[in-house]
Structures are given as structure tokens and as C-alpha cells.
């Protein structure tokens, strides 16, 4: 009667504290430059080392520029954080994928593509979008800086066990409807707090038919529903994706690993604390109109006339529309935009660039648009060039930047100016997320590409592709 989550969680329990949290063993700790410095300082103050350094992987991503990475970072704060991470890794003898090395990229893109994230693991990082790695069939979640220090020192963490939720998406997605649209649709249905306190398992025919990269996108956005994390049971899609990856098991160890991974699924009679079912056929290409990811609608729909809920919800709804300069009942088709961003740990993988190219091939970027196309890793950057996608994009007037978190958040040079609209494939559309006063419209690579060539919000299904 165990869920997939229960099976992995219970296997990693070190001890349960009476009327308290669980001490949970952690298989993989990822560290980036923003949330790790205080953790390293804490170890120094106590005069201790990392207990199991071989289970820790570090790389800068939030502050890395997406151009001229071979040169000195101009911003002093960004430069300090990146250099501090390198020094800390040297001192504590940790695996470090430095900026501009071929191993570098966004930590939530690099981990899976290198086979560092594997089914059955417990995975943590001082970053909320650690939920991404749950797509591998792992229990993965974000933690705070003090917890990063705890894992460094003990390879364990104290956690209250979350409740379990299963979200079933039945049927088949329609053309040009992606995992990103699925996630935005689910958030619009259950809200950004609808999964608070839960760990989600995604299931159903539509989920099983997603590629590994689609599953990574879906799990990435679990945190935006309020969930502690999200996961998909490993299957042949998972195994085929992982086989031959740099850090994945090899030879006999691979065969043994797959044999175990095949047991990682919820029992037929497993009972979840909450179970929801949706139909894939009901999902259209989506976009957001407000200032949280749950304020979503079909690209050809209209903004709701009012918020469902209490007075506080109505006040938040009106405040969001005022910030975005939108009106209740408004259609966003034809709404002019200024920037397009393809990238982030949500949509910075090779399939996202293929989708973008499917729309823009044979066309040209609109003269009013500034586009930032940012691979999630140097491996993705290489794939773009190896597949000739760079030629499609260059011919269409686009430029491919270097890997990094880029315009997902305003911690590097790629900031959207105040008052400007950006159609973004990232994960958050909070006020100022992409720059002070910036207005973010979340969407899939298809919708982003359609905006890039028309200069306005456009339904990609209406373009000649």
C-alpha cells in the first residue's frame, strides 16, 4: 500500500524523533553560489569538514553572465559570489563545475543530463526549483542555507514528512501543448497554494507520454503549486535517458540499478492523502496574465472578470492587473511585447530550442523584440550547434547566448527594463522577478517563439509552421 514517495523516503530514514522531525539521509547535495557561502562559513566556525564530499556537486549559475564568460565578471557582487564558491570548493575539496567550463550550466539542467540525479535518490539544494530532479523518480526538494550546512556536516537533514498527492492527467496532449502548458493549467486549476504541504506524484497517460525533458519541466514547476516537490515514477523513458550518461552506473552496476529502479512505483492499492484527475484534451497553450504563476489562462482566452475567493484574493487580483496594466475580461491576443526569453531550468533544454525553431524557421524576429535565447548548459549549447539549430536561429535574426540562469531572475546582467513586457519560458512572474518594474508573461517555447516573430501575443497554432 506504499506510494512511490513513501518507498524512497522510508528507505532513507535514519531515525524518527518522537513528536518531531525525521532524520533523513541525503544522497546528493547540489550547491550554487547564492545560498552556500554562509553554510561553508558555518563549517569553518565549527572547525569541521564535509562528511561525504563525494556526494556534493557545486556550480555557479545564478550570477553568471550569458556573454563573454571568459572575461572578468563586471558586477562586483556577482563576481564575489562566483569566486567565493570556487575558493570554498578548493578548500573543502568538492566537485566544482566552474563558469565557462564545458561541465557548467544551470544546476537543475546539468544534474540530470550528467546522470548525477538518479531514480530512488534523495536530492537537495539551496534552491526551490530542486523539485526538477523529481522527474528522475527521486525525492528532491529545496532547502535553506542552514540546512545546506546540516547536510554538508552530516549528510542528513531534519524534515517533517510531507503528505502525498497524486495528480493524474489522462488522455493525450493536443499539438503544440507542452509540459509547460500542463503545469500552468494545473496551477490555474488548483492555485499556487493548492498543493501546500504535499509531495506530488504525477501520473496518467499524458504524463507517461512526456519525454524526460518534459517531465523535468513539469516537476520544476511543482514548487509553484505550493508543493514540497514533485516526481514521476521511473520507466523506460527514464532508463533510456540515463543510459550512458557520465555519472550513471555502468556495466553490471547498470543492470542492477535498473532492476531496483523498476520497483520504484506506487503500489496498485497505494492510498494518497489527496488525488486529483484532469483531462489532457482540456489543456491549451497557456500564458499568465498576473503576478503569480497560478494566474494563467489559454493563450486565446480572456482574463477573468474577478477573482474567485475572499476579499483578500480580490484585492490581490486587482493589484496584479494594475501592475501588469491589464483589464478584467481582456484578451491578450495582439498585446505588444518587448522581450522574449527562452531558457531557465524550466525550459532551457534542447527540446525547448527545437520547439522554438519549429516556429521561427523561415521567418524573422520582429524589429520591436529583444530576444534572449539561453541554453541551460554547455551540453545544450553544443547540441544546438550540432543539430544546426544555430543556423536556423541566426538566419531568423536571433543570437544564442552562453549558459546561465539569465533573465529568469534579476541577479545578472539580463534584466528586463521597468514597464516592459517579456514573454518568458521561466518559472516565476512575480513583481520585479526579471528586473524592477518588469512585466512577465509565462509561456511555453512555442508561445514565446510566436511572440518573437510577431511582436505580440500570438496563438502559435495560427501560424504556418
Amino acid at each position: 500500500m506504499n506510494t512511490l514517495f513513501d518507498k524512497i523516503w522510508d528507505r532513507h530514514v535514519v531515525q524518527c524523533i518522537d513528536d518531531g522531525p525525521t532524520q533523513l539521509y541525503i544522497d546528493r547535495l547540489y550547491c550554487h553560489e547564492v545560498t552556500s557561502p554562509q553554510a561553508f562559513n558555518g563549517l569553518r566556525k565549527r572547525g569541521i569538514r564535509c562528511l561525504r564530499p563525494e556526494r556534493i556537486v557545486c556550480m555557479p549559475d545564478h550570477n553568471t553572465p550569458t556573454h563573454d564568460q571568459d572575461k572578468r565578471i563586471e558586477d562586483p557582487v556577482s563576481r564575489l559570489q562566483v569566486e567565493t564558491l570556487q575558493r570554498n570548493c578548493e578548500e573543502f575539496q568538492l566537485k566544482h563545475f566552474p563558469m565557462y567550463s564545458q561541465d557548467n550550466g544551470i544546476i537543475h539542467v546539468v544534474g540530470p543530463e550528467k546522470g548525477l540525479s538518479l531514480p530512488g535518490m534523495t536530492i537537495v539544494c539551496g534552491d526551490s526549483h530542486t523539485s526538477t530532479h523529481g522527474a528522475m523518480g527521486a525525492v528532491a526538494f529545496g532547502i535553506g542555507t542552514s540546512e545546506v550546512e546540516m547536510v554538508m556536516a552530516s549528510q542528513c537533514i531534519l524534515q517533517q514528512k510531507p503528505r502525498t498527492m497524486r495528480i493524474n492527467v489522462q488522455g493525450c496532449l493536443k499539438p503544440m501543448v507542452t509540459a509547460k502548458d500542463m503545469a500552468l493549467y494545473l496551477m490555474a486549476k488548483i492555485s499556487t497554494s493548492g498543493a501546500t504541504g504535499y509531495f506530488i506524484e504525477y501520473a496518467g497517460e499524458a504524463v507517461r507520454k512526456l519525454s524526460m525533458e518534459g517531465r523535468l519541466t513539469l516537476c520544476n514547476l511543482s514548487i509553484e503549486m505550493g508543493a514540497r516537490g514533485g516526481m514521476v515514477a521511473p520507466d523506460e523513458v527514464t532508463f533510456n535517458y540515463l543510459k550512458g550518461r557520465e555519472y550513471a552506473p555502468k556495466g553490471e552496476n547498470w543492470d542492477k540499478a535498473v532492476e531496483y529502479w523498476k520497483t520504484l512505483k506506487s503500489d496498485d492499492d497505494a492510498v494518497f492523502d489527496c488525488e486529483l484527475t484532469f483531462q489532457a484534451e482540456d489543456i491549451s497553450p497557456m500564458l499568465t496574465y498576473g503576478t503569480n504563476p497560478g494566474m494563467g489562462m489559454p493563450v486565446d482566452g480572456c482574463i477573468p472578470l474577478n477573482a474567485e475567493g475572499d476579499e483578500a484574493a480580490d484585492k490581490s487580483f486587482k493589484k496584479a492587473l494594475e501592475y501588469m496594466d491589464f483589464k478584467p475580461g481582456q484578451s491578450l491576443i495582439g498585446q505588444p511585447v518587448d522581450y522574449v526569453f527562452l531558457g531557465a531550468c524550466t525550459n532551457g533544454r534542447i527540446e525547448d530550442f527545437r520547439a522554438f525553431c519549429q516556429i521561427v524557421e523561415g521567418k524573422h524576429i520582429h524589429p520591436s523584440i529583444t530576444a534572449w535565447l539561453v541554453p541551460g548548459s554547455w551540453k545544450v549549447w553544443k547540441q544546438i550547434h550540432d543539430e544546426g539549430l544555430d543556423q536556423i536561429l541566426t538566419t531568423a535574426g536571433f543570437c544564442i547566448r552562453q549558459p546561465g540562469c539569465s533573465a529568469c531572475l534579476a541577479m545578472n546582467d539580463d534584466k528586463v527594463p521597468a514597464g516592459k513586457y517579456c514573454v518568458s519560458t521561466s518559472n516565476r512572474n512575480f513583481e520585479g522577478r526579471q528586473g524592477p518594474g518588469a512585466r512577465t508573461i509565462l509561456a511555453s517555447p512555442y508561445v514565446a517563439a510566436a511572440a518573437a516573430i510577431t511582436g505580440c501575443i500570438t496563438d502559435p497554432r495560427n501560424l504556418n509552421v
Side-chain angles (χ1 to χ4, degrees), residues 106 129 178-181 183-184 217 220-221 286-288 339-349 352-353 355-356 372-376 405-409 422-429 433-434 440-452:
I106 303 172
H129 293 105
T178 69
K180 179 64 165 291
D181 301 303
L184 291 175
T217 295
N220 173 271
L221 288 155
M286 299 284 291
L287 50 73
T288 59
Y339 285 74
V340 167
F341 170 51
L342 174 66
C345 57
T346 314
N347 286 121
R349 300 175 182 85
D352 303 307
F353 280 82
F356 194 94
W372 292 324
L373 312 186
V374 187
C405 289
S406 185
C408 177
L409 76 174
C422 178
V423 177
S424 175
T425 66
S426 53
N427 41 51
R428 286 179 175 162
N429 55 340
R433 170 76 175 182
Q434 293 191 289
T440 300
I441 299 169
L442 299 179
S444 74
Y446 286 126
V447 175

Side-chain angles (χ1 to χ4, degrees), residues 309-344:
D310 55 17
E311 184 178 340
D314 186 61
K315 183 177 180 181
S316 177
F317 173 78
K318 291 177 179 177
K319 183 175 182 289
L321 292 193
E322 181 180 355
Y323 181 86
M324 295 297 294
D325 196 23
F326 293 154
K327 303 295 181 186
Q330 178 182 347
S331 166
L332 293 185
I333 294 291
Q335 166 68 41
V337 297
D338 310 286
Y339 285 74
V340 167
F341 170 51
L342 174 66

Side-chain angles (χ1 to χ4, degrees), residues 226-294:
R228 197 73 183 91
M231 64 198 312
V232 178
D235 57 12
E236 291 301 321
V237 173
T238 320
F239 310 150
N240 290 337
Y241 175 88
L242 284 171
K243 192 167 187 178
R245 300 276 171 177
E246 184 176 353
Y247 291 94
K250 305 290 191 301
E252 290 184 7
N253 290 332
W254 169 261
D255 295 334
K256 291 179 182 177
V258 171
E259 185 178 353
Y260 164 58
W261 294 343
K262 287 180 177 178
T263 70
L264 295 176
K265 56 185 177 180
S266 292
D267 296 334
D268 292 340
D269 55 356
V271 177
F272 292 79
D273 295 302
C274 178
E275 189 151 8
L276 302 172
T277 299
F278 300 91
Q279 301 301 317
E281 292 84 357
D282 295 336
I283 307 174
S284 300
M286 299 284 291
L287 50 73
T288 59
Y289 59 86
T291 55
N292 74 60

Side-chain angles (χ1 to χ4, degrees), residues 176 340 342 353-366 371 373 389 391-398 445-454 463-465:
M176 290 197 182
V340 167
L342 174 66
F353 280 82
R354 291 172 186 155
F356 194 94
C357 286
Q358 184 181 336
I359 297 293
V360 306
E361 186 172 12
K363 304 177 180 66
H364 201 273
I365 185 173
H366 193 275
L373 312 186
L389 301 183
Q391 296 180 28
I392 293 173
L393 293 169
T394 300
T395 301
F398 295 93
Y446 286 126
V447 175
I453 61 174
T454 62
L463 297 174
N464 294 323
V465 178

